[in-house]
Amino acid sequence: MPTVARIGPYRFFFFSNEGTESPHIHVQRERRLAKFSLDPVTLVSSTEFAAHELGVLIRMVAEHRGQFLEAWHAFFGG
């Protein structure tokens, strides 16, 4: 599972077997996990993140969207 970035306490990554899905990024902090679509940036799922922290995360994903899409396409092609 390639890690794309570490920002503060968060790890941004995707799983290597997800190339058939639309571009997205997973975010992990300790046992908390969330998944965000990258086009458009939207929350797909979340486990244990508080609502206020999800707000912070969606802004972070939007800010780094270009970097995450570039990593996705470099890894999966296209």
Side-chain angles (χ1 to χ4, degrees):
M1 75 182 95
T3 296
V4 178
R6 290 186 184 273
I7 304 170
Y10 305 108
R11 179 171 73 102
F12 296 82
F13 66 98
F14 48 80
F15 292 98
S16 59
N17 64 347
E18 295 181 320
T20 58
E21 295 184 35
S22 60
H24 63 273
I25 197 80
H26 296 272
V27 185
Q28 183 178 24
R29 177 181 179 192
E30 299 157 356
R31 292 180 174 229
R32 300 173 187 121
L33 186 64
K35 178 179 177 180
F36 293 90
S37 172
L38 295 175
D39 193 26
V41 174
T42 54
L43 176 65
V44 175
S45 63
S46 171
T47 305
E48 298 190 24
F49 276 113
H52 72 278
E53 196 167 13
L54 288 170
V56 170
L57 289 174
I58 201 160
R59 288 189 295 277
M60 291 175 79
V61 171
E63 180 180 338
H64 297 278
R65 178 181 175 269
Q67 174 189 354
F68 298 155
L69 282 170
E70 185 177 310
W72 178 277
H73 292 303
F75 188 83
F76 293 115

